[in-house]
Amino acid sequence: MSDCCCKDENMKALDKVLDECGHDAGNLITILQNAQEIYGYLPSEIIYYVASQTGISPARVMGVATFYSQFRLEPVGKYLIMLCKGTACHVNGSDTLEDVICSELGISNGQTTSDGIFSLKTVACLGCCSLSPVMMINDEVFGLLTSDKVIGILNDFRKKAQEEGGTQA
Amino acid sequence: MMKIVVGQGSCGIAAGAGKTYEAIKACMTEQEPFELGSTGCNGMCFLEPIVDIYDGHKLVKRLVNVSADKAEAVVSAVRAGDLSGLSEMVIKPEDEEFLTQQTRIALRNCGIIDPEDIASYKERDGYKALEKVLTSMTPEEVIEEIKVSGLAGRGGAGFPTWFKWNAARQSPGEEKYLICNADEGDPGAFMDRAVIESDPHNLIEGMMIAAYAIGASEAIVYVRAEYPLAIIHLNEAIRQAREAGYIGQNILGTGFSCEFRYMAGAGAFVCGEETALIESLEGKRGMPRLKPPFPAAAGYKMKPSNINNVETFANVAWIILNGGEKFAAMGTENSKGTKVFALTGKIRRGGLVEIPMGQTLRHVIFDIGGGIREDKKIKAVQLGGPSGGCIPEHLLDTVIDYKALSATGAIMGSGGMVVMDENTCMVGMAKFFLDFTSKESCGKCVHCRIGTRRMLEILNRIVEGNGKDGDIELLEELCYSIKDGALCGLGQTAPNPVLTTIRYFRDEYEAHIGEKRCPAAECRDLLMYYIDPDKCKGCTACARKCPADAISGTVKSAHSIDPEKCIKCGTCKSTCKFDAIYVK
C-alpha cells in the first residue's frame, strides 16, 4: 500500500470519513464519494480498505463502485469535462460537440489526455436544458455552446493549466 | 430601500449571473442607497442573467441578459434613482407573458426569495402550514386535506398522494421513514433542481408535514449528485430549519419529533424507481425490488416508508394553507392542481412553466413558449423522457391530464417537454432514448437488460442505412415483450419512445429502411453533401478545410464534392460563407 496514492496521511482522512459514517455498510455510497473526493478516484487499495472497515466483501464494494456512474476507478485529468447528452442537448447538437472535443483533444469519451490536463465524460443530463447544449468543466457550467465556443473554452483551460503547472487534480 | 437582486440558479450561473453579481458588487461603494441580494431561478432561463430591481417588496424593473459588462450602468442608475437609462435591458412585454400566463404553486417562491435565508421564506408565509398542522390538525385530517386536493405524484406515475400517505400511516410499526425522491434523472427535466435550489424550505416544510401525517421519525432527501448547488442550498436550509426548531426533537413544543437529512445519489437513472432508490439509500447497488411488499409496508431498512418526489412536496404547504378545495378547483376531473414543465429543445422561450392541468400542449408551446426557433415547423413534442413518448403536431390540442396524455402513448412523466422541429429525426430520437435506457438498465431482469440492447442494435442499423424489411415489426415485438416481462418501471416503459415514433412517424422508419434516406437530414450515414453551383463563389475555403480532401475545383469556379471520399463531417457546410453547401 506504500507506493500507491494512499499515503498514511491520506488514509487518516479516509479514517475520519469512516468514523463519521460509523463504519456502516449502509453508508457505503457516502463513504466512497468522500474517498473519491480525497483521492480523485477509487484505487483498488481503497476498495479493499473500505471493505475491511465496513465488514462487507470487496466484491460488494466493487459492485457498488461500478454500478454508479459517479465513481471512477482510474485517475482523471486536472479538468474533467462533463458533456451533457440529455434530450435537449441532443436535439441541439451535442453529438457534434463531442466530435469537436474528441478531435481537439485527441481522446474519446472516458479517456484522459496524455498530458493529464483533460478527461472527457459524457453525462445524461446536467439539468441546464434551457441553455443546451451544455458542458461542465469541474464545477463550472458552460451553456449555449457552439463548436467555436467549445474550442475557445478548451484553449482557456489549457492555458490556465500551463500557467498553474501540474497535471493531476 | 432599493434592492438589486441577481438570479443565481444553476442556469443563471451558467449564463454568467455569478460574474454579473460580482461585477455589481465591485461597482458598489461602502455606502450605497441600495442593497445587493441574490435569488434562485424564476424559470425564465432564456433571458438569463436576470436582475430584478425592487423598491421594498415591490418589483420595479426586471432587467434581462445582464452580462457583467452592464453592471456599472445598473449600479449608477439605481444609485441615482433614475432607471430610465436602462430601458435597453428591460424585459420585453411579450417575454413577460411567459410568466404572467402561469399559475405558480410549487414554484411560488422561486426567483423571489433568497433561498439561503429562512427569514426570506418566512416572509412569504413560510412554515405557517407546518405550524398549523402541528398545532391544530390530526394526522388523519392532514391526509384528508390532501385527499380533497386531489394531489397526485408528480414524479411520473400520478398515483394519489393521500393514498400512499395513508398506507404508510396505517402500516404497523413505530419506526417509519419519509423519503423524497430528488434523483431527477429524466434528461430534459429540471424542475426539481429549481425547487431545491430556489426554495429549499418549501421542500422541507412539505416533507415535515408529510412526516407528521404518516408518523415518520426521519425524513431523507435522496438528491442527485449532479446538482451541486441544490445540495449546498438544501444543506444550509436544513441547518437553518433545525436552528429555528422546525426539525429535530419536540418540534415547536408539540411533542412531534422528526430528524431530517439528505443523501447524495451517485448517478444511476434507475434510482428514480422507488425500490431501487431505497436500495441505494441502504448503500447498495440501485436494483429494484419485487413488489409487493410495497414500501408502505416494508421500505427503507424494511420499515414502513413513503416516497414522493420534490414537486409533490412543493405543493403540500400551499394546500394546507389554502385548502384542498382551492387546489382541486384547478385542472380536470382526473388531474387536479398545477403541473410544472421544463420546456426545452427547439423552443423560442425555454424554461420552467407551471400551469393548471387541462390546458393544451399547443398553448404551452406556442402561447407561453413563443413557438419554434427560426420560425421552423414543429414536428413533435417529447413528454416523459425515456419512459415517455413523442406526440406529433396533429395531437397538440391534447389537454394536459394524466389520462389524456397516456392515451397518446406518451406519459405526463416528471414534466420534461422537449420540442422538436422538422430537422429532428424521429428514428434518431428513438435510438437516443434506447441508447440511454440500455446503458441505464440495472441488469437485474433479462427482458430489460438484453431486450433494450437488441432494440438498440436494430435502431443503430436502421440509422446507419443497414435496416432490413421486417425490422419495424421486430422492434414492435420486442417492445411488447419487454413491456410484459420487465420487473420495474424503467424496463416496462423503455419501449415507449420507440412505440410512439413507430405509431406516428412510421414513414420515417420506412424511408430509412427502404430508401436509405433520412427525411430530417440528420442521420449522418444517410446524408449526402452537395455544392450548389449557382451559390458557390469558388473561394476555396471549404476545399482547404476538408479533412478528407474530398472537394475539388479551381479558384472562382464552382466546386464539387466527391461522394466516395466525403466523410460527412459537415466541416464544409459550417465553413461556407455563401450557404452554397446543402445536405440531402
Side-chain angles (χ1 to χ4, degrees), chain A residues 25-26 28-29 33 63-64 66-71 85-88 90-92 99 124-131 136 141, chain B residues 11 14 45 187-188 190 193 224-225 264-267 280-286 344-346 351 373 429 432-433 436 524:
Chain A
L28 181 58
I29 291 172
Q33 283 169 334
V64 169
T66 52
F67 186 84
Y68 296 97
S69 65
Q70 189 188 17
F71 297 124
K85 302 276 271 189
T87 320
H90 169 79
V91 171
N92 284 312
D99 292 347
C125 185
L126 293 171
C128 295
C129 313
S130 303
L131 298 170
M136 193 155 141
V141 181
Chain B
C11 301
C45 309
F190 54 94
R193 174 182 63 78
R224 270 188 100 194
S280 185
L281 268 183
E282 293 176 355
K284 301 178 210 152
R285 290 163 70 94
T344 59
K346 301 284 180 78
R373 284 185 203 159
M429 210 60 220
F432 166 79
F433 282 115
F436 180 83
R524 192 183 286 182

Side-chain angles (χ1 to χ4, degrees), chain A residues 87-88 90-93, chain B residues 344-348 365-366 371-382 390-393 396 418-427 429 505 508 518-522:
Chain A
T87 320
H90 169 79
V91 171
N92 284 312
Chain B
T344 59
K346 301 284 180 78
I347 190 87
R348 202 167 264 147
I365 295 166
F366 287 92
I372 312 302
R373 284 185 203 159
E374 299 166 26
D375 284 320
K376 287 194 177 163
K377 262 179 73 182
I378 184 169
K379 183 188 268 184
V381 55
Q382 211 283 341
C390 295
I391 300 176
E393 198 274 338
L396 288 186
V418 185
V419 178
M420 295 160 214
D421 69 12
E422 52 197 305
N423 296 117
T424 310
C425 171
M426 301 313 283
V427 186
M429 210 60 220
F505 301 96
E508 288 198 27
C518 173
E522 201 181 49

Side-chain angles (χ1 to χ4, degrees), chain A residues 99-111:
Chain A
D99 292 347
V100 168
I101 295 172
C102 290
S103 74
E104 187 70 16
L105 300 180
I107 53 172
S108 53
N109 183 27
Q111 294 182 328

Side-chain angles (χ1 to χ4, degrees), chain B residues 556-578:
Chain B
K556 290 187 180 167
S557 69
H559 283 45
S560 64
I561 299 173
D562 180 353
E564 295 288 312
K565 286 187 184 167
C566 177
I567 56 165
K568 299 159 184 176
C569 65
T571 306
C572 53
K573 195 169 190 300
S574 55
T575 304
C576 182
K577 291 190 180 110
F578 308 103

Side-chain angles (χ1 to χ4, degrees), chain B residues 170-474:
Chain B
Q170 300 298 332
S171 220
E174 283 296 297
E175 192 183 332
K176 292 181 186 178
Y177 293 93
L178 180 84
I179 299 162
C180 172
N181 182 349
D183 191 45
E184 188 170 48
D186 239 1
F190 54 94
M191 60 285 292
D192 293 350
R193 174 182 63 78
V195 168
I196 306 171
E197 270 178 18
S198 309
D199 196 12
H201 287 287
N202 185 22
L203 173 65
I204 295 174
E205 186 176 10
M207 285 178 70
M208 291 306 289
I209 292 167
Y212 173 73
I214 70 166
S217 50
E218 189 175 21
I220 310 165
V221 183
Y222 184 94
V223 57
R224 270 188 100 194
E226 288 90 336
Y227 290 171
L229 187 66
I231 292 176
I232 292 170
H233 285 186
L234 179 63
N235 196 26
E236 174 60 18
I238 293 171
R239 192 192 64 78
Q240 291 175 359
R242 183 170 290 123
E243 202 175 270
Y246 295 115
I247 53 185
Q249 296 299 305
N250 191 18
I251 296 165
L252 303 174
T254 59
F256 172 65
S257 300
C258 183
E259 282 306 325
F260 198 107
R261 67 180 169 98
Y262 75 88
M263 174 183 156
F269 174 68
V270 69
C271 290
E273 200 279 342
E274 58 181 7
T275 58
L277 186 150
I278 289 172
E279 289 283 301
S280 185
L281 268 183
E282 293 176 355
K284 301 178 210 152
R285 290 163 70 94
M287 293 166 103
R289 296 176 182 170
L290 256 176
K291 290 193 270 194
F294 289 92
Y300 181 52
K301 296 182 179 170
M302 296 312 273
K303 303 289 181 196
S305 307
N306 177 67
I307 304 181
N308 291 119
N309 111 310
V310 175
E311 191 190 332
T312 313
F313 286 125
N315 285 304
V316 169
W318 188 94
I319 291 170
I320 295 296
L321 283 183
N322 294 276
E325 278 177 19
K326 200 168 167 189
F327 191 82
M330 287 177 282
T332 64
E333 202 189 332
N334 304 306
S335 309
K336 303 295 187 194
T338 59
K339 175 79 192 89
V340 183
F341 290 95
L343 188 57
T344 59
K346 301 284 180 78
I347 190 87
R348 202 167 264 147
R349 299 199 287 250
L352 288 176
V353 176
E354 182 171 1
I355 41 155
M357 305 266 194
Q359 297 190 348
T360 64
L361 293 169
R362 195 181 297 282
H363 172 69
V364 176
I365 295 166
F366 287 92
D367 299 338
I368 299 177
I372 312 302
R373 284 185 203 159
E374 299 166 26
D375 284 320
K376 287 194 177 163
K377 262 179 73 182
I378 184 169
K379 183 188 268 184
V381 55
Q382 211 283 341
L383 274 188
S387 306
C390 295
I391 300 176
E393 198 274 338
H394 72 267
L395 291 178
L396 288 186
D397 291 315
T398 306
V399 294
I400 291 162
D401 170 287
Y402 287 100
K403 274 192 181 161
L405 290 175
S406 295
T408 67
I411 56 167
M412 176 89 74
S414 59
M417 194 185 271
V418 185
V419 178
M420 295 160 214
D421 69 12
E422 52 197 305
N423 296 117
T424 310
C425 171
M426 301 313 283
V427 186
M429 210 60 220
K431 191 201 92 169
F432 166 79
F433 282 115
L434 258 293
D435 183 54
F436 180 83
T437 36
S438 66
K439 280 180 188 152
E440 294 293 340
S441 170
C442 78
K444 186 167 183 168
C445 59
V446 178
H447 282 85
C448 178
R449 182 180 70 237
I450 300 175
T452 54
R453 197 141 287 258
R454 292 292 90 85
M455 285 177 69
L456 178 62
E457 285 166 5
I458 298 170
L459 289 163
N460 269 330
R461 73 172 179 241
I462 294 177
V463 299
E464 284 163 5
N466 300 318
K468 295 185 278 205
D469 275 346
D471 271 354
I472 300 178
E473 292 71 21
L474 185 56

